[in-house]
Amino acid sequence: MPGSGKSMFSSIARNMGIPVYVMGDVIREEARRRGLEPTPANLNMIARLLREEYGPAVVAERIAEKLREDPSPVVLIDGVRSLVEVEVFEKLGRVVIVAVHASPRTRFERLRRRGRPGDPQTWEEFRQRDLTELGFGLGSVIALADYMLVNEGPATEFKEKARMLLAGLVADGS
Amino acid sequence: MPGSGKSMFSSIARNMGIPVYVMGDVIREEARRRGLEPTPANLNMIARLLREEYGPAVVAERIAEKLREDPSPVVLIDGVRSLVEVEVFEKLGRVVIVAVHASPRTRFERLRRRGRPGDPQTWEEFRQRDLTELGFGLGSVIALADYMLVNEGPATEFKEKARMLLAGLVADGS
């Protein structure tokens, strides 16, 4: 969910030499291709249009094309939003779902502090954005996570848990 | 999710003197009223019929009727399955969502060992039951949990975490 600490987890993986594929990058690429600025509104529109044109698994399928050319034994895919997407990756190899959880209150405070373009500033905007994410089926992916990392405490604690989990997965998958 | 350790959490609450309302009991009551045996197949059918007749919040609404007569400052509601149900309870007071998480692999092993009537014995049955639960919107409730208790390790560890969390909530709500 937004503000849970998902990108922090990805950065740690990247620093450990694990290739990271970001689902949202597919949308940003498509924006570039269509000559559109990557504003939150444009990216949302493109995400919707892509799914309408090519089906609910389109973003995963575009990542899958890249994965077929990646010889790495373990990769991280950041930002899976539905079980339909998970199924695309299950066709390519073993999938381990890692969810990063923080309470709505904690996530709201983080996003408000972060203040990236498109980040919610009011509780209503925040709730609406959560419901949009859940509308894709993100909750089902979280509920079926193989690993649930809770990120409520200090960042150092979370980073340590993340590194240990990733090291185990790399050892397991290599 | 089935096999996560939800009922263990409820038992601990009960032992601490917190009144526990089990959503599934509404279905069992309805089975009795209709003169049906409480077999898994009958209970599933009644749950579906009730929702078709009275809408998706019917089970929560029947619990809410009982809650209006309960003077306890803190109660536990076991088995909420959708955000529509959460909204019913939010009209009555402050709601704190506690999710109990275990990985699909762990939950499957537990259910297979438990072997209650209706518990899945094959991975396919298990997966199907998970998808039924998620179909109600359970994933969205889990994703928005205020507290995420991970129950992968020994039962003693989980029980201790549960007791600490519940004690804190009682202190907070009383």
CSV table of all heavy atoms in Angstrom, one decimal, chain B residues 26 30 33-34 46-62 65 84:
chain,number,residue,atom,x,y,z
B,26,VAL,N,-23.6,-15.9,13.5
B,26,VAL,CA,-24.9,-15.4,12.9
B,26,VAL,C,-25.4,-16.4,11.9
B,26,VAL,O,-26.6,-16.7,11.8
B,26,VAL,CB,-24.6,-14.0,12.2
B,26,VAL,CG1,-25.8,-13.6,11.4
B,26,VAL,CG2,-24.3,-13.0,13.3
B,30,GLU,N,-28.8,-18.7,12.0
B,30,GLU,CA,-29.7,-18.7,10.9
B,30,GLU,C,-30.0,-20.2,10.5
B,30,GLU,O,-31.2,-20.5,10.1
B,30,GLU,CB,-29.2,-17.9,9.8
B,30,GLU,CG,-30.1,-17.7,8.6
B,30,GLU,CD,-31.3,-16.8,9.0
B,30,GLU,OE1,-31.3,-16.0,9.9
B,30,GLU,OE2,-32.4,-16.9,8.3
B,33,ARG,N,-32.4,-21.6,12.9
B,33,ARG,CA,-33.7,-21.0,12.7
B,33,ARG,C,-34.4,-21.7,11.5
B,33,ARG,O,-35.6,-21.9,11.5
B,33,ARG,CB,-33.6,-19.5,12.4
B,33,ARG,CG,-34.9,-18.7,12.5
B,33,ARG,CD,-34.6,-17.2,12.4
B,33,ARG,NE,-33.7,-16.7,13.5
B,33,ARG,CZ,-32.9,-15.7,13.4
B,33,ARG,NH1,-32.8,-15.1,12.2
B,33,ARG,NH2,-32.2,-15.3,14.4
B,34,ARG,N,-33.6,-22.0,10.5
B,34,ARG,CA,-34.2,-22.7,9.3
B,34,ARG,C,-34.2,-24.2,9.4
B,34,ARG,O,-34.6,-24.9,8.5
B,34,ARG,CB,-33.4,-22.3,8.0
B,34,ARG,CG,-33.4,-20.8,7.8
B,34,ARG,CD,-32.8,-20.4,6.4
B,34,ARG,NE,-32.7,-18.9,6.3
B,34,ARG,CZ,-32.5,-18.3,5.1
B,34,ARG,NH1,-32.4,-19.0,4.0
B,34,ARG,NH2,-32.5,-17.0,5.1
B,46,ILE,N,-26.3,-20.7,3.3
B,46,ILE,CA,-27.0,-19.7,4.1
B,46,ILE,C,-26.3,-18.3,4.0
B,46,ILE,O,-27.0,-17.3,3.9
B,46,ILE,CB,-27.1,-20.2,5.5
B,46,ILE,CG1,-28.1,-21.4,5.6
B,46,ILE,CG2,-27.6,-19.1,6.5
B,46,ILE,CD1,-28.1,-22.1,6.9
B,47,ALA,N,-25.0,-18.4,4.1
B,47,ALA,CA,-24.2,-17.1,4.0
B,47,ALA,C,-24.5,-16.4,2.7
B,47,ALA,O,-24.8,-15.2,2.7
B,47,ALA,CB,-22.7,-17.3,4.2
B,48,ARG,N,-24.6,-17.2,1.6
B,48,ARG,CA,-24.9,-16.6,0.3
B,48,ARG,C,-26.3,-16.1,0.2
B,48,ARG,O,-26.6,-14.9,-0.2
B,48,ARG,CB,-24.6,-17.6,-0.8
B,48,ARG,CG,-24.0,-17.0,-2.0
B,48,ARG,CD,-24.0,-18.0,-3.2
B,48,ARG,NE,-25.3,-18.7,-3.4
B,48,ARG,CZ,-25.5,-20.0,-3.3
B,48,ARG,NH1,-24.5,-20.8,-3.0
B,48,ARG,NH2,-26.7,-20.5,-3.5
B,49,LEU,N,-27.2,-16.9,0.7
B,49,LEU,CA,-28.7,-16.5,0.7
B,49,LEU,C,-28.9,-15.3,1.5
B,49,LEU,O,-29.6,-14.4,1.0
B,49,LEU,CB,-29.5,-17.7,1.2
B,49,LEU,CG,-29.7,-18.9,0.2
B,49,LEU,CD1,-30.5,-20.0,0.9
B,49,LEU,CD2,-30.3,-18.4,-1.1
B,50,LEU,N,-28.4,-15.2,2.7
B,50,LEU,CA,-28.6,-14.1,3.6
B,50,LEU,C,-28.1,-12.8,2.9
B,50,LEU,O,-28.8,-11.8,2.9
B,50,LEU,CB,-27.8,-14.2,4.9
B,50,LEU,CG,-28.4,-14.9,6.1
B,50,LEU,CD1,-27.5,-14.9,7.2
B,50,LEU,CD2,-29.7,-14.1,6.4
B,51,ARG,N,-26.9,-12.9,2.3
B,51,ARG,CA,-26.4,-11.7,1.6
B,51,ARG,C,-27.2,-11.3,0.4
B,51,ARG,O,-27.5,-10.1,0.1
B,51,ARG,CB,-24.9,-11.9,1.1
B,51,ARG,CG,-24.0,-11.8,2.3
B,51,ARG,CD,-22.5,-12.0,1.9
B,51,ARG,NE,-21.6,-11.6,3.0
B,51,ARG,CZ,-21.2,-12.5,3.9
B,51,ARG,NH1,-21.6,-13.7,3.9
B,51,ARG,NH2,-20.4,-12.1,4.9
B,52,GLU,N,-27.7,-12.3,-0.3
B,52,GLU,CA,-28.6,-12.0,-1.5
B,52,GLU,C,-29.9,-11.4,-1.0
B,52,GLU,O,-30.4,-10.4,-1.6
B,52,GLU,CB,-28.9,-13.3,-2.3
B,52,GLU,CG,-27.9,-13.7,-3.3
B,52,GLU,CD,-28.0,-15.1,-3.9
B,52,GLU,OE1,-29.2,-15.6,-3.8
B,52,GLU,OE2,-27.1,-15.7,-4.3
B,53,GLU,N,-30.5,-11.9,0.1
B,53,GLU,CA,-31.8,-11.3,0.6
B,53,GLU,C,-31.6,-10.0,1.2
B,53,GLU,O,-32.5,-9.1,1.1
B,53,GLU,CB,-32.4,-12.3,1.6
B,53,GLU,CG,-33.1,-13.5,0.9
B,53,GLU,CD,-33.5,-14.5,2.0
B,53,GLU,OE1,-34.2,-14.1,2.9
B,53,GLU,OE2,-33.2,-15.7,1.8
B,54,TYR,N,-30.6,-9.8,2.1
B,54,TYR,CA,-30.5,-8.6,2.9
B,54,TYR,C,-29.3,-7.7,2.6
B,54,TYR,O,-29.1,-6.7,3.3
B,54,TYR,CB,-30.5,-9.0,4.4
B,54,TYR,CG,-31.7,-9.8,4.8
B,54,TYR,CD1,-31.6,-11.2,5.0
B,54,TYR,CD2,-32.9,-9.2,5.1
B,54,TYR,CE1,-32.7,-11.9,5.4
B,54,TYR,CE2,-34.0,-9.9,5.5
B,54,TYR,CZ,-33.9,-11.3,5.6
B,54,TYR,OH,-35.0,-12.0,6.0
B,55,GLY,N,-28.5,-8.0,1.6
B,55,GLY,CA,-27.4,-7.2,1.2
B,55,GLY,C,-26.1,-7.6,1.9
B,55,GLY,O,-26.1,-8.5,2.8
B,56,PRO,N,-24.9,-7.0,1.4
B,56,PRO,CA,-23.6,-7.6,1.8
B,56,PRO,C,-23.3,-7.3,3.3
B,56,PRO,O,-22.3,-7.8,3.8
B,56,PRO,CB,-22.7,-6.8,0.9
B,56,PRO,CG,-23.4,-5.6,0.5
B,56,PRO,CD,-24.9,-6.0,0.4
B,57,ALA,N,-24.0,-6.4,3.9
B,57,ALA,CA,-23.7,-6.0,5.3
B,57,ALA,C,-24.5,-6.8,6.3
B,57,ALA,O,-24.4,-6.5,7.5
B,57,ALA,CB,-23.8,-4.5,5.5
B,58,VAL,N,-25.4,-7.7,5.9
B,58,VAL,CA,-26.4,-8.3,6.8
B,58,VAL,C,-25.8,-9.0,8.0
B,58,VAL,O,-26.3,-8.8,9.1
B,58,VAL,CB,-27.2,-9.4,6.0
B,58,VAL,CG1,-26.4,-10.5,5.4
B,58,VAL,CG2,-28.3,-10.0,6.9
B,59,VAL,N,-24.7,-9.7,7.9
B,59,VAL,CA,-24.1,-10.3,9.1
B,59,VAL,C,-23.6,-9.3,10.1
B,59,VAL,O,-23.9,-9.4,11.3
B,59,VAL,CB,-23.0,-11.3,8.7
B,59,VAL,CG1,-22.4,-12.0,9.9
B,59,VAL,CG2,-23.5,-12.3,7.7
B,60,ALA,N,-22.9,-8.3,9.6
B,60,ALA,CA,-22.5,-7.2,10.5
B,60,ALA,C,-23.6,-6.5,11.2
B,60,ALA,O,-23.6,-6.2,12.3
B,60,ALA,CB,-21.6,-6.2,9.7
B,61,GLU,N,-24.7,-6.3,10.4
B,61,GLU,CA,-25.9,-5.6,11.0
B,61,GLU,C,-26.5,-6.4,12.1
B,61,GLU,O,-27.0,-5.8,13.1
B,61,GLU,CB,-26.9,-5.3,9.9
B,61,GLU,CG,-26.5,-4.1,9.0
B,61,GLU,CD,-27.2,-4.1,7.7
B,61,GLU,OE1,-28.0,-5.0,7.4
B,61,GLU,OE2,-26.9,-3.2,6.9
B,62,ARG,N,-26.5,-7.7,12.0
B,62,ARG,CA,-27.1,-8.6,13.0
B,62,ARG,C,-26.2,-8.6,14.3
B,62,ARG,O,-26.7,-8.6,15.4
B,62,ARG,CB,-27.3,-10.0,12.5
B,62,ARG,CG,-28.3,-10.0,11.4
B,62,ARG,CD,-29.0,-11.3,11.3
B,62,ARG,NE,-30.1,-11.2,10.3
B,62,ARG,CZ,-30.8,-12.2,9.8
B,62,ARG,NH1,-30.5,-13.5,10.3
B,62,ARG,NH2,-31.7,-12.0,9.0
B,65,GLU,N,-26.8,-5.2,16.1
B,65,GLU,CA,-28.0,-5.2,17.0
B,65,GLU,C,-27.6,-5.7,18.4
B,65,GLU,O,-28.1,-5.1,19.4
B,65,GLU,CB,-29.0,-6.2,16.4
B,65,GLU,CG,-29.8,-5.6,15.3
B,65,GLU,CD,-30.7,-6.6,14.6
B,65,GLU,OE1,-31.2,-7.6,15.3
B,65,GLU,OE2,-30.9,-6.5,13.4
B,84,VAL,N,-17.3,-3.2,3.8
B,84,VAL,CA,-18.7,-2.8,4.0
B,84,VAL,C,-19.1,-3.2,5.4
B,84,VAL,O,-19.8,-2.4,6.1
B,84,VAL,CB,-19.6,-3.6,2.9
B,84,VAL,CG1,-21.1,-3.4,3.2
B,84,VAL,CG2,-19.3,-3.2,1.5
